Amino acid sequence: MSVPPVAQRADSTNQLSPELQLIAEITAGLNAQQKIISSKFFYDSVGSDLFDQICDLPEYYPYLTEMNMLPHIAGDLSQSIAQPVELVEFGAGSLTKIRILLESIKMIESVVPIDIAHSHLQRAADKLSADYPHVNVAPIFADFTQPVSLQNKGKNQNELMKLGFFPGSTIGNFNRDFALTFLQRLRKTLGDSGMLLIGVDTKKSLHTLHQAYNDSAGVTAKFNLNILRHVNHIAASNFDLDAFEHYAFYNPHFGRIEMHLVSKIEQSVHINGQSISFAQGETIHTENSYKYRPDEFVHLARMAGWRLEQQWLANDDMFSVFLLHADR
């Protein structure tokens, strides 16, 4: 659950400071015909904590299924990786899954976690470094959906093969065009000898999908609404969280879960010197989560310059993980 439905920024924001770029991006999204807020804004410290809670929910199968798969996958990788590697995790969050890889793959000498939530990542990186003192941990605080340089990060970074790690089916949060662009960007970032271990959610029953994004405890609803609180902090806007409600559904035409926030009333919100009107029932689109058949994702990866090295499927094809190698 991360990353924007539309992950590009308007060219006109490029000359602004980083803070004003964010405000301009938010304002532009709210002025669109279908109002949107990029889902990267979920991840302040509160949102990151709420997502950790989501991962513990019985309904949220992607996390639980992938966690059950990773020990076996890590064991397989420990047999096939024979040279020192630098592990680069995109959208690292709490660095929970990376620990499973570190336990099995002894050739990991350096870890470079990348995430936009600065304080959350710093705490997680400090703890990882303390627990694995033989591994160099060098976090990067950045929006990983944008180009990120690995220069001067990691241990002997020019000498180590790069193993990208992108778990959790976050690739599904991108529309198809940007997913292709993002995979091409990772191919360039990780280099000609680079590899990528990536989690991808699969198409499955509507009931299972609905429950995963509409949990009985209401944690996902709190997570979705928290984006408005975070935007208020960034842009000095005045969203009233009680005036919106969580709405998530599967769109079979696009093969994706959509998350929205629905305005309960007719209202206006002030942001960046503007007044933005909402009709009763109007929505803000906050996230997509595309689902892929394995063959669909392999085709996308090949288009982006990757070749399939290995794939793993959970029972009943509930989740998939792919090991990709840069295709020269």
Side-chain angles (χ1 to χ4, degrees):
M1 288 188 178
S2 64
V3 197
V6 178
Q8 298 90 338
R9 295 178 181 174
D11 290 342
S12 60
T13 69
N14 290 341
Q15 304 304 314
L16 302 176
S17 69
E19 294 78 10
L20 290 177
Q21 283 187 29
L22 293 178
I23 294 172
E25 181 181 355
I26 293 167
T27 305
L30 290 172
N31 280 311
Q33 183 174 3
Q34 167 60 71
K35 292 178 171 65
I36 62 169
I37 298 176
S38 164
S39 57
K40 68 187 175 191
F41 295 109
F42 283 136
Y43 295 98
D44 63 347
S45 58
V46 175
S48 296
D49 288 340
L50 284 169
F51 184 68
D52 286 346
Q53 294 178 40
I54 288 172
C55 290
D56 289 333
L57 296 170
E59 298 101 327
Y60 192 64
Y61 67 85
Y63 180 82
L64 298 173
T65 306
E66 189 179 38
M67 284 293 285
N68 287 332
M69 296 173 70
L70 278 175
H72 174 70
I73 293 169
D76 287 349
L77 293 178
S78 70
Q79 301 298 314
S80 61
I81 296 178
Q83 66 184 93
V85 298
E86 179 170 270
L87 185 60
V88 183
E89 183 172 5
F90 300 89
S94 297
L95 295 174
T96 300
K97 294 173 183 175
I98 210 168
R99 291 171 175 267
I100 299 174
L101 302 185
L102 287 171
E103 286 297 316
S104 291
I105 306 172
K106 303 308 180 185
M107 300 305 290
I108 297 173
E109 292 191 2
S110 179
V111 169
V112 180
I114 305 170
D115 204 286
I116 198 170
H118 189 293
S119 59
H120 190 82
L121 178 59
Q122 186 65 68
R123 289 194 302 270
D126 289 344
K127 191 170 189 313
L128 189 74
S129 184
D131 292 342
Y132 296 89
H134 62 286
V135 176
N136 184 64
V137 180
I140 295 176
F141 310 104
D143 175 3
F144 72 90
T145 69
Q146 303 301 313
V148 177
S149 174
L150 300 180
Q151 294 299 316
N152 303 317
K153 285 293 180 180
K155 179 182 179 182
N156 301 323
Q157 72 97 20
N158 290 324
E159 301 174 11
L160 299 179
M161 185 189 81
K162 305 293 189 294
L163 173 61
F165 187 38
F166 196 42
S169 73
T170 306
I171 190 67
N173 296 137
F174 302 133
N175 64 48
R176 302 296 172 90
D177 288 342
F178 190 76
L180 176 61
T181 298
F182 181 74
L183 288 171
Q184 289 170 332
R185 186 177 295 155
L186 294 192
R187 166 67 178 79
K188 182 177 180 180
T189 298
L190 297 171
D192 288 343
S193 63
M195 302 182 76
L196 176 64
L197 185 67
I198 182 169
V200 182
D201 199 9
T202 56
K203 294 178 177 177
K204 55 183 64 67
S205 79
L206 297 184
H207 176 71
T208 300
L209 289 168
H210 179 81
Q211 284 190 314
Y213 294 86
N214 295 277
D215 61 275
S216 59
V219 182
T220 306
K222 292 178 183 177
F223 174 76
N224 198 9
L225 286 162
N226 181 69
I227 202 171
L228 300 181
R229 189 198 61 78
H230 190 202
V231 166
N232 283 345
H233 176 74
I234 294 171
S237 54
N238 65 337
F239 280 102
D240 177 4
L241 275 63
D242 291 333
F244 290 85
E245 62 184 351
H246 166 73
Y247 178 50
F249 63 95
Y250 184 71
N251 184 328
H253 177 71
F254 292 108
R256 71 189 186 196
I257 286 283
E258 294 185 17
M259 289 218 310
H260 293 252
L261 290 168
V262 183
S263 179
K264 297 179 182 179
I265 57 173
E266 184 177 339
Q267 58 180 307
S268 294
V269 174
H270 298 284
I271 179 172
N272 196 27
Q274 298 184 38
S275 179
I276 296 177
S277 299
F278 288 83
Q280 183 179 14
E282 188 174 6
T283 75
I284 306 171
H285 190 176
T286 56
E287 185 180 61
N288 290 322
S289 184
Y290 285 85
K291 312 303 176 184
Y292 290 88
R293 295 193 318 267
D295 63 297
E296 289 177 325
F297 182 74
V298 170
H299 176 69
L300 180 69
R302 285 174 177 158
M303 290 176 60
W306 296 96
R307 71 172 186 269
L308 177 64
E309 193 81 14
Q310 193 170 354
Q311 73 177 47
W312 298 265
L313 281 173
N315 291 338
D316 299 321
D317 294 350
M318 285 290 288
F319 196 83
S320 58
V321 178
F322 299 85
L323 179 65
L324 308 175
H325 198 288
D327 195 7
R328 300 185 184 183

